[in-house]
């Protein structure tokens, strides 16, 4: 009766929430409803008149439930519902687990035995007063304790510096670099909202390859964003898919005739697909996204705000993990994604120099994109075509021209991340190859930027390169040959990971905060060893994770 639910929230389609500029739209707005399939117990009356009914939740929102098989008598309107929200049914900022709340019956459908229940108080309001209040206090305390311990560790590093210069020098440099990221991120401010009357035309381009599982939702959410219909163009390019992807895209086009489809019978790669879409784009702003990424309703409206500044040539939005609740791996990635955007990119944005516009959500001025498109499309490395790392490479071409590149934390999307370690490790290897290649290119021009920008860039490049050597020395060489202890180094990793997790808890109010700690150790014991091989094979041209 209750099959396993997907480990990510599935929004329930609702015609009433369509963009108001579309035909048949309505201005009746409701909180997003998420598909559910879990038991609910209904309590009616009190004392000797108390009765209990069983039902099944078919969807849930911040404000209520849609119940099926609810045999509640027609005269009953005030009820109490008890249920347990399975992990992944709702976004992470909502509490998953046991719930008990008062409600009011607002809708009945006798033929289908459906009952619409409105909570007496939205879930988010109750959580703000209880759970998240306590967690925010815990996060504040954890931040203060962690920072104090980090300072003590760094002072001790100075004291014992000459006992192991390489490890302690690296530890001090990494600590200073990471703390500077958090410090700069604290000064980040999102772009100012622009007047609705001055909104630019926007073309959204999706390169698509073998994405039959998610492409329909991706396109529908892009077509349904809250942006004027006459100023929005959505282009989807099928890059030679070998499954039912293009047939699904055609099905979406039947519902939304304005969707522009391009079918490439032979795969041209992601860059080629984007270039094919750009040839048909008419918008002043080009938004590039992935075929398994999902825009929030106001995502496009927010991403264009920053372009009111003439110097801004490109903007990256914020990306969270959609399938966060699947397993340990996706939970660790959830914390990592948030810190990568809200801390690392925010810190770079303070200086108008974000070094990588995210693949799931990036916007460019059309004239800037077209000015670098040919070089980007035909980029080569060690004589071989650069078939991946398109986002970081394109950012490099834009920064090299001296343009400002920023981050907007309000422009949000979510994306599907790898759920198995084999796919994840192959993805990370691809990312590390492109990171090494593009950082080498960036080193040739970044010195022209302000000192803090260039110093941060060079440190961010050099420190990961020497990390494998330092980890090997701290965890293997010193204990085996010098009778040293790795505990101090491990403690430093624990404290930095605790800082990351505490910031995540403080800002996101999520039970997933603790997974930032195992991710840092996973990085130290596993991912750090990929970099030497990635450097040696940087000319490798295969994608790695494509089906």
């Amino acid at each position: 009766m209750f099959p396993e639910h997907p480990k990510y929230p599935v929004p329930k389609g609702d015609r009433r929430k369509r963009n108001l500029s579309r035909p048949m739209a309505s201005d009746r707005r409701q909180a997003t409803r998420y598909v559910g399939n879990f038991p609910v117990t209904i309590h009616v009356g009190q004392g000797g008149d108390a009765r209990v009914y069983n039902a099944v939740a078919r969807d849930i929102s911040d404000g209520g439930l849609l119940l099926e098989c609810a045999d509640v008598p027609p005269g009953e309107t005030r009820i109490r519902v008890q249920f347990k929200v399975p992990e992944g049914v709702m976004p992470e900022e909502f509490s998953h687990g046991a719930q008990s709340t008062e409600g009011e019956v607002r809708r009945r459908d006798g033929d289908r035995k459906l009952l619409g229940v409105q909570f007496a108080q939205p879930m988010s309001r109750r959580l703000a007063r209880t759970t998240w209040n306590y967690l925010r206090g815990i996060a504040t305390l954890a931040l203060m304790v962690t920072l104090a311990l980090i300072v003590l560790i760094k002072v001790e590093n100075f004291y014992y510096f000459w006992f192991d210069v390489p490890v302690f020098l690296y530890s001090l440099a990494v600590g200073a670099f990471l703390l500077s990221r958090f410090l700069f991120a604290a000064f980040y401010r999102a772009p100012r909202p622009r007047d609705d009357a001055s909104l630019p035309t926007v073309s959204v381009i999706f390169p698509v390859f073998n994405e039959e599982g998610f492409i329909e939702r991706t396109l529908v959410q892009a077509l349904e964003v809250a942006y004027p219909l006459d100023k929005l163009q959505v282009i989807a390019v099928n890059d030679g898919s070998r499954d039912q992807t293009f047939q699904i895209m055609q099905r979406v086009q039947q519902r939304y005739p304005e969707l522009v489809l391009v079918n490439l019978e032979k795969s041209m790669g992601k860059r080629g697909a984007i270039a094919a879409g750009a040839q048909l784009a008419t918008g002043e702003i080009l938004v590039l996204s992935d075929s398994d990424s999902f825009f929030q309703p106001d995502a496009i409206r927010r991403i264009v705000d920053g372009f009111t500044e003439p110097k801004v040539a490109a903007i990256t939005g914020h990306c969270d993990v959609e399938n966060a609740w699947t397993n340990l791996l996706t939970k660790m990635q959830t914390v990592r994604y948030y810190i990568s955007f809200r801390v690392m990119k925010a810190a770079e944005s303070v200086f108008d120099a974000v070094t990588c516009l995210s693949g799931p959500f990036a916007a460019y001025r059309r004239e800037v994109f077209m000015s670098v498109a040919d070089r980007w499309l035909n980029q080569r490395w060690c004589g071989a075509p650069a078939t991946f790392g398109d986002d970081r490479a394109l950012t490099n071409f834009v920064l090299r021209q001296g343009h400002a590149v920023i981050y907007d934390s309000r422009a949000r999307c979510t994306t599907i991340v790898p759920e198995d370690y084999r796919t994840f490790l192959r993805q990370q290897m691809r990312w590390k190859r492109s990171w090494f290649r593009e950082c080498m290119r960036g080193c040739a021009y970044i010195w022209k930027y302000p000192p803090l920008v260039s110093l941060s860039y060079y440190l961010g490049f050099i420190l990961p390169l020497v990390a494998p050597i330092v980890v090997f020395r701290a965890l293997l060489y010193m204990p085996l040959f010098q009778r040293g202890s790795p505990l101090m180094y491990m403690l430093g990793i624990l404290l930095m990971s605790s800082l990351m997790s505490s910031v995540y808890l403080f800002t996101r109010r999520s039970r997933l905060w603790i997974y930032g700690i195992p991710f840092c150790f996973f990085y130290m014991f596993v991912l750090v060893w990929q970099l030497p091989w990635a450097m040696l094979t940087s000319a490798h041209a295969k994608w790695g994770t494509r089906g």
Side-chain angles (χ1 to χ4, degrees):
M1 185 177 182
F2 305 107
E4 184 178 357
H5 190 279
K7 295 297 185 180
Y8 52 87
V10 180
K12 189 170 183 178
D14 188 346
R15 178 185 60 80
R16 295 171 304 189
K17 294 187 67 177
R18 295 189 67 184
N19 186 328
L20 292 182
S21 63
R22 301 181 183 279
M24 303 298 293
S26 167
D27 61 358
R28 181 178 177 182
R29 298 285 174 163
Q30 295 180 336
T32 302
R33 297 184 296 164
Y34 300 95
V35 174
N37 188 28
F38 52 89
V40 176
T41 302
I42 303 172
H43 297 267
V44 177
Q46 295 180 350
D49 294 331
R51 285 151 290 158
V52 178
Y53 301 91
N54 295 317
V56 179
R58 292 308 183 196
D59 70 52
I60 183 171
S61 71
D62 184 32
L65 289 164
L66 180 63
L67 304 178
E68 186 179 6
C69 301
D71 297 322
V72 179
E76 300 289 354
T77 58
R78 296 290 181 178
I79 63 175
R80 170 171 285 277
V81 288
Q82 292 181 330
F83 54 93
K84 182 177 181 180
V85 183
E87 288 189 345
V89 168
M90 301 185 76
E92 59 175 308
E93 59 265 25
F94 292 98
S95 178
H96 294 72
Q99 306 287 328
S100 179
T101 183
E102 301 289 338
E104 181 181 358
V105 177
R106 300 297 298 271
R107 169 192 167 193
R108 289 181 183 271
D109 186 335
D111 294 336
R112 293 184 294 167
K113 290 188 176 181
L114 295 178
L115 203 68
V117 178
Q118 179 178 317
F119 299 146
Q121 187 179 69
M123 295 175 64
S124 57
R125 191 178 302 172
R126 294 202 317 273
L127 292 170
R129 293 177 178 176
T130 55
T131 306
W132 301 138
N133 233 0
Y134 298 131
L135 287 179
R136 180 157 288 189
I138 294 172
T140 303
L141 179 61
L143 273 172
M144 295 173 61
V145 172
T146 300
L147 286 172
L149 289 175
I150 288 175
V151 171
L152 289 175
I153 289 292
K154 298 311 169 186
V155 170
E156 190 172 18
N157 284 167
F158 277 112
Y159 183 77
Y160 291 103
F161 184 82
W162 298 109
F163 286 90
D164 192 355
V165 174
V167 170
F168 287 126
L169 180 62
Y170 175 81
S171 178
L172 288 169
V174 168
F177 176 77
L178 292 179
L179 289 175
S180 72
R181 301 300 90 186
F182 286 95
L183 176 63
F184 293 147
F187 289 96
Y188 166 79
R189 296 294 181 269
R192 293 181 179 178
R194 70 189 299 162
D195 186 359
D196 287 345
S198 66
L199 292 178
T201 54
V202 175
S203 294
V204 184
I205 303 173
F206 291 98
V208 187
F209 180 82
N210 286 358
E211 204 64 76
E212 62 183 6
F214 300 108
I215 188 58
E216 181 173 4
R217 180 183 168 193
T218 295
L219 294 179
V220 169
Q221 288 196 209
L223 289 158
E224 292 284 5
V225 294
Y227 205 79
L229 180 61
D230 60 343
K231 293 186 176 183
L232 178 67
Q233 179 189 38
V234 178
I235 304 170
V237 183
N238 177 44
D239 188 30
S241 298
R242 297 188 291 269
D243 56 9
Q244 296 297 307
T245 295
F246 188 61
Q247 287 77 5
I248 296 174
M249 293 164 64
Q250 289 177 311
R251 191 167 69 216
V252 175
Q253 190 184 47
Q254 291 175 359
R255 295 165 53 195
Y256 300 88
E258 66 271 26
L259 173 63
V260 179
L261 295 184
V262 179
N263 186 30
L264 304 178
E265 295 186 359
K266 181 180 179 181
S267 177
M268 297 176 60
K270 188 175 181 180
R271 298 191 194 204
I274 290 175
Q279 292 177 5
L280 301 175
T282 59
E284 302 166 66
I285 305 298
L286 300 185
V287 173
L288 308 184
S289 186
D290 290 337
S291 52
D292 58 355
S293 299
F294 316 111
F295 291 146
Q296 295 299 305
D298 64 345
I300 302 300
R301 176 60 186 83
R302 296 275 74 86
I303 199 75
V304 300
D305 284 343
F307 288 111
T308 54
E309 293 288 339
K311 65 179 181 178
V312 174
I315 303 173
T316 186
H318 181 93
C319 184
D320 285 317
V321 172
E322 177 71 11
N323 52 332
W325 298 94
T326 302
N327 53 35
L328 173 62
L329 179 59
T330 60
K331 291 173 182 177
M332 291 193 298
Q333 291 178 81
T334 299
V335 182
R336 182 197 188 190
Y337 262 68
Y338 184 82
I339 296 299
S340 295
F341 282 86
R342 190 54 187 86
V343 175
M344 299 304 181
K345 292 189 189 303
E348 294 177 334
S349 188
V350 171
F351 302 98
D352 296 335
V354 175
T355 55
C356 182
L357 290 156
S358 172
F361 196 8
Y364 301 82
R365 292 190 189 274
R366 177 185 172 82
E367 63 270 20
V368 173
F369 176 88
M370 299 307 294
S371 69
V372 301
D374 285 341
R375 284 175 289 161
W376 173 70
L377 185 60
N378 298 294
Q379 184 186 24
R380 304 181 75 84
W381 176 259
C382 297
T387 55
F388 49 78
D390 48 279
D391 47 4
R392 190 176 289 273
L394 187 53
T395 309
N396 247 349
F397 281 116
V398 174
L399 286 172
R400 196 182 192 103
Q401 293 186 342
H403 296 295
V405 178
I406 65 173
Y407 157 73
D408 193 330
S409 60
R410 305 162 307 146
R412 292 178 172 269
C413 76
T414 59
T415 193
I416 300 293
V417 299
E419 298 179 354
D420 63 272
Y421 288 92
R422 181 173 182 272
T423 304
F424 174 74
L425 291 175
R426 294 177 72 177
Q427 178 204 63
Q428 294 302 303
M429 181 61 74
R430 185 178 78 242
W431 286 5
K432 284 180 173 61
R433 287 183 179 126
S434 64
W435 172 85
F436 174 72
R437 181 185 70 209
E438 296 306 325
C439 282
M440 290 288 288
R441 294 180 184 274
C443 287
Y445 69 82
I446 204 68
W447 58 270
K448 299 177 182 178
Y449 278 75
L452 276 177
V453 176
S454 54
L455 177 61
S456 295
Y457 189 93
Y458 290 125
L459 274 177
F461 179 49
I462 295 172
L463 292 176
L465 294 182
V466 301
I469 301 173
V470 173
V471 172
F472 175 82
R473 179 180 177 86
L475 300 185
L476 295 175
Y477 177 79
M478 291 300 292
L480 293 177
F481 299 100
Q482 300 293 327
R483 295 184 179 180
S485 172
L487 292 181
M488 188 60 67
Y489 184 79
M490 298 281 282
L491 179 59
I493 298 296
L494 176 62
L495 289 175
M496 295 310 299
S497 63
S498 298
L499 175 62
M500 181 175 73
S501 293
S502 299
V503 169
Y504 184 81
L505 173 60
F506 186 82
T507 55
R508 282 293 285 170
R509 303 187 304 182
S510 168
R511 292 188 294 117
L512 295 177
W513 69 278
I514 194 67
Y515 293 96
I517 295 176
F519 175 79
C520 288
F521 284 93
F522 178 70
Y523 182 90
M524 180 176 65
F525 287 113
V526 179
L527 297 183
V528 73
W529 306 109
Q530 285 187 314
L531 189 54
W533 183 247
M535 294 165 57
L536 294 173
T537 59
S538 59
H540 186 81
K542 290 185 178 180
W543 189 262
T545 55
R546 281 194 162 201

